[in-house]
Amino acid sequence: MQKEFNYKNVKKIGLVARPNSNLDAEITNLESILKKKGVELLLFKESSQRLNLASFELNELFEKSDFIISLGGDGTLISLCRKAYEYEKAILGIHAGRLGFLTTLSLQDTPKFFEEFFQGEFRLEMPFMLELILETKRGEILRKNAFNDIVFFRKQMNSMVSIEVFRKGKIFNQYFGDGLIIASPAGSTAYNLSANGPIVYTLAEVFILTPVCSHSLTQRPIVLPRGFELEVGAKDCVLCVDGQEHYEVDEFKSIKVGLSDKGVCLIHPKNRDYFQILKEKLNWGN
């Protein structure tokens, strides 16, 4: 299970900024806010080349920090969630640019947020991640996690892909088309949504299978509970983890997917309303 989060013991906070961005002014402002609280801001070494702050490689940053600030957009936060899951550290997403589904705290609201945070007035959410187990043809086991989704898609644009999904050794379903999305609840509003998959509440203990451009009108998305472990088989196909890691399916003897048994800890302002964010982002009621 996730380690207990104790805001009273926070002394060092790590920060990772959106790649290839100059956010020095924003980082300096955050450093000033935290310094007044007696908290040291540590920096991922690639987040700035000019600031005179203690900077570290990513693994060391996670080891030294009580929690991590993701400064950027949803993509930056998602890339850190897998590392946070590994180190059992919480993440606070602060958006610098377009407002996302996950990074809902704005820079101008950070002074107020940290005043409330150090009084214990904040929210913790622990959405479950997807677990991916890859077995190579040499018998080596690779374990990966995805915050949003694991996507299987065709390698050749002029052909469709056939994907077989098994449960307990029996065929569960077979998909013909452009690919298959396996999404977490948090990832239901990402690629899954654009492929007409369902929106699922972030903290639900389920995951989603959504076909991409299926060649059969009877193939529809399906929501499955935690505890279902699926094995996926396909040829001439690529799998992608959170849009950031790619693997050739043919290189593996076995590919298993399910929902993780623990979540990644996300820090939110106390007044964050998931359904209000959905209304604003999707223009519900307009």
Side-chain angles (χ1 to χ4, degrees):
M1 295 298 292
Q2 191 82 28
K3 293 179 181 178
E4 183 179 354
F5 180 78
N6 190 340
Y7 69 92
K8 295 180 180 178
N9 292 337
V10 171
K11 299 300 179 185
K12 296 181 178 181
I13 298 176
L15 184 145
V16 180
R18 183 177 59 215
N20 304 314
S21 300
N22 183 0
L23 295 171
D24 287 0
E26 291 81 357
I27 294 171
T28 300
N29 184 46
L30 288 169
E31 193 265 343
S32 176
I33 293 170
L34 293 172
K35 189 174 183 179
K36 294 175 183 177
K37 299 296 181 181
V39 176
E40 182 182 3
L41 184 66
L42 308 180
L43 202 62
F44 175 45
K45 65 182 303 181
E46 295 182 14
S47 293
S48 174
Q49 303 299 321
R50 292 175 292 275
L51 294 178
N52 187 26
L53 293 174
S55 59
F56 305 90
E57 297 287 355
L58 194 59
N59 286 332
E60 191 175 6
L61 184 73
F62 270 86
E63 290 171 356
K64 291 181 176 293
S65 303
D66 296 309
F67 73 85
I68 299 293
I69 291 174
S70 169
L71 180 61
D74 281 359
T76 307
L77 187 143
I78 289 167
S79 68
L80 293 173
C81 278
R82 298 197 299 277
K83 188 67 69 175
Y85 181 91
E86 177 185 345
Y87 280 91
E88 297 190 335
K89 296 291 177 74
I91 295 187
L92 169 67
I94 301 176
H95 72 83
R98 292 191 305 167
L99 180 65
F101 277 98
L102 301 171
T103 50
T104 54
L105 177 63
S106 66
L107 283 160
Q108 55 264 36
D109 289 336
T110 51
K112 177 184 176 184
F113 169 80
F114 281 112
E115 284 294 331
E116 296 174 342
F117 175 84
F118 287 105
Q119 296 175 23
E121 298 180 16
F122 58 91
R123 292 186 59 190
L124 292 180
E125 291 187 355
M126 296 182 63
F128 289 95
M129 298 181 69
L130 295 171
E131 186 173 70
L132 174 66
I133 303 175
L134 303 169
E135 182 182 356
T136 70
K137 294 178 180 179
R138 297 192 301 271
E140 299 170 339
I141 301 296
L142 301 178
R143 294 181 180 272
K144 299 287 181 177
N145 292 97
F147 184 82
N148 261 359
D149 50 42
I150 298 166
V151 179
F152 296 80
F153 58 91
R154 58 183 181 171
K155 291 171 62 176
Q156 305 295 331
M157 292 301 295
N158 60 351
S159 64
M160 68 178 180
V161 67
S162 172
I163 301 172
E164 294 182 320
V165 179
F166 299 86
R167 179 174 183 257
K168 294 183 176 180
K170 297 181 179 179
I171 187 73
F172 177 82
N173 207 342
Q174 190 169 14
Y175 299 91
F176 297 95
D178 287 358
L180 175 68
I181 303 166
I182 302 179
S184 69
S188 69
T189 51
Y191 189 16
N192 170 75
L193 182 60
S194 68
N196 292 319
I199 296 174
V200 176
Y201 180 54
T202 307
L203 303 181
E205 297 187 29
V206 298
F207 63 106
I208 311 151
L209 271 64
T210 299
V212 181
C213 297
S214 174
H215 283 237
S216 170
L217 294 177
T218 62
Q219 293 288 6
R220 290 291 182 264
I222 185 169
V223 179
L224 300 172
R226 185 155 64 90
F228 268 55
E229 184 182 70
L230 303 178
E231 186 166 355
V232 182
K235 293 183 178 180
D236 297 322
C237 187
V238 174
L239 73 85
C240 182
V241 180
D242 277 340
Q244 297 167 350
E245 295 183 45
H246 295 77
Y247 299 92
E248 297 275 351
V249 169
D250 293 341
E251 295 179 359
F252 298 100
K253 176 182 177 182
S254 171
I255 300 172
K256 295 179 180 179
V257 181
L259 200 65
S260 64
D261 60 359
K262 65 178 182 179
V264 60
C265 186
L266 301 181
I267 304 170
H268 293 299
K270 64 178 182 178
N271 61 351
R272 182 180 188 268
D273 186 334
Y274 172 76
F275 296 101
Q276 182 61 35
I277 293 169
L278 283 182
K279 288 172 63 178
E280 292 172 0
K281 295 295 291 185
L282 302 179
N283 293 316
W284 285 356
N286 294 333

